Amino acid sequence: MTDPDLSAAFGHPEDRATASAARPRDRISLRDHVLNVEIGAFQEERGSQQRLRFDIVCEVSGTGAPAHDDVDRILSYDTLVDAVDAALAEERLNLLETLAERIAGLLLQEPRAERVFVRIEKLDRGPYALGVEIVRSAGPERERGLAAPDMPRPVVAHLSNDAIADPRLPQWLDTLEEGGAPVVLTVTLPETPAPVAGASMPQRRIDLLALDQNAWVLAARDPRCLVVGSRTEIEHAIRQGRMLVWAPSKIVLDSPERPDAGPREPERLAAFLADTLGATHRVGIGADMPGGTRLETEAR
């Protein structure tokens, strides 16, 4: 094999970086960083941790001048470790590919980072290591110095089933929008009884799916509503100025910082989301909203 990428295919990412570099670059690396992580798409991988090994190489631009032994003028090794920790803290993931993408994306936000190699391997799935490796480069948006704005703080409104069915719903949503803050809507369990599983874990999933379904019922009542589930989707929708409805199963099941409340306590889930997003105001429309005001729906 004469192709340098092929000849280094099973080498360390440091060898891959060297073999595929169009021009010499400085590099910093993280080798053999092993963490216990809950990850995986299979049911047997849920509720338990497995060892992941992280190897990262980040190619950096030169400063054109000596660093004068000044840590503030370099890309610190801690940045690599912090990127791994931040990607793991966002939410539970099914795929190593997604985790690798998030780590690379975080590192490429650093002004000096030009190209990143990320290799992640599962060490406990057999008498071998199973893994992925990706290579990503800084894009033109980063090179122009464009940065994502700070996420606006939303209003979080928790709606009862009566409020969802009420013909005045569009007017209430209009009122929520008038304040100028993004609007995040949450729902309670539907009135139709959920199937009874007879075991706690399946019942929890059934109830969460019922909440997700009710989110879609609300979204069908007003074209402004966008159903979202993950923290990434929520933040993106808020930055886009969309009115969103939270389908909670993804975060409740997969986030490392899971709420204490379960699906049978939807008002507490709503309060958890409001706390997580730093809501400026919280309101219950025909429902209780911890720490918020309540708008009654009985009057016609």
Side-chain angles (χ1 to χ4, degrees):
M1 294 186 297
T2 58
D3 188 321
D5 279 350
L6 292 177
S7 64
F10 290 95
H12 187 273
E14 182 75 41
D15 302 323
R16 295 268 290 150
T18 300
S20 61
R23 59 183 175 82
R25 293 189 179 103
D26 295 340
R27 303 182 184 94
I28 63 171
S29 64
L30 174 69
R31 290 174 178 255
D32 299 324
H33 182 46
V34 178
L35 295 174
N36 290 314
V37 177
E38 183 186 340
I39 190 169
F42 296 106
Q43 185 61 41
E44 64 191 41
E45 296 178 288
R46 290 185 173 272
S48 61
Q49 295 186 329
Q50 57 184 301
R51 291 178 301 151
L52 299 185
R53 179 167 59 209
F54 297 83
D55 291 295
I56 301 172
V57 173
C58 184
E59 297 181 337
V60 298
S61 59
T63 61
H68 299 294
D69 207 33
D70 184 354
V71 70
D72 290 334
R73 300 184 64 180
I74 64 163
L75 186 61
S76 170
Y77 306 116
D78 291 340
T79 305
L80 305 185
V81 178
D82 291 344
V84 174
D85 292 342
L88 289 172
E90 186 171 345
E91 61 184 331
R92 185 197 182 281
L93 297 174
N94 290 328
L95 302 178
L96 293 182
E97 289 84 350
T98 306
L99 179 56
E101 287 281 0
R102 292 191 178 180
I103 292 171
L106 289 167
L107 289 172
L108 289 173
Q109 292 177 15
E110 296 290 333
R112 291 193 60 199
E114 292 191 1
R115 193 166 64 148
V116 177
F117 293 73
V118 180
R119 176 181 291 176
I120 310 174
E121 296 172 302
K122 292 184 177 183
L123 304 181
D124 298 328
R125 295 292 291 170
Y128 34 65
L130 302 173
V132 301
E133 180 178 326
I134 67 170
V135 184
R136 297 294 182 266
S137 299
E141 294 82 3
R142 205 292 307 273
E143 292 168 2
R144 291 196 298 268
L146 299 179
D150 291 338
M151 189 180 71
R153 297 172 61 190
V155 172
V156 175
H158 184 54
L159 279 69
S160 68
N161 290 315
D162 287 342
I164 294 173
D166 198 296
R168 294 169 295 173
L169 175 67
Q171 286 73 42
W172 292 329
L173 299 185
D174 290 341
T175 301
L176 291 173
E177 284 190 317
E178 287 173 359
V183 178
V184 177
L185 307 174
T186 65
V187 298
T188 190
L189 284 166
E191 294 179 354
T192 304
V196 177
S200 60
M201 186 182 74
Q203 190 65 53
R204 180 179 177 86
R205 289 179 174 273
I206 289 169
D207 292 339
L208 284 168
L209 288 173
L211 286 173
D212 288 357
Q213 290 172 339
N214 220 19
W216 284 101
V217 171
L218 171 56
R221 294 294 317 284
D222 193 288
R224 289 171 288 185
C225 296
L226 174 70
V227 178
V228 297
S230 70
R231 177 67 182 265
T232 300
E233 290 177 307
I234 291 171
E235 293 184 357
H236 178 73
I238 288 176
R239 288 193 174 98
Q240 295 296 314
R242 297 293 304 272
M243 177 180 292
L244 62 96
V245 187
W246 183 39
S249 62
K250 171 68 174 173
I251 289 179
V252 172
L253 290 173
D254 294 346
S255 173
E257 298 180 0
R258 298 178 179 89
D260 293 333
R264 297 294 180 95
E265 303 171 294
E267 70 285 347
R268 290 186 58 200
L269 288 178
F272 161 82
L273 185 66
D275 291 339
T276 301
L277 300 178
T280 59
H281 185 62
R282 57 186 78 186
V283 60
I285 303 180
D288 291 328
M289 175 62 161
T293 57
R294 175 169 175 145
L295 173 66
E296 298 296 344
T297 61
E298 285 82 0
R300 295 276 180 170

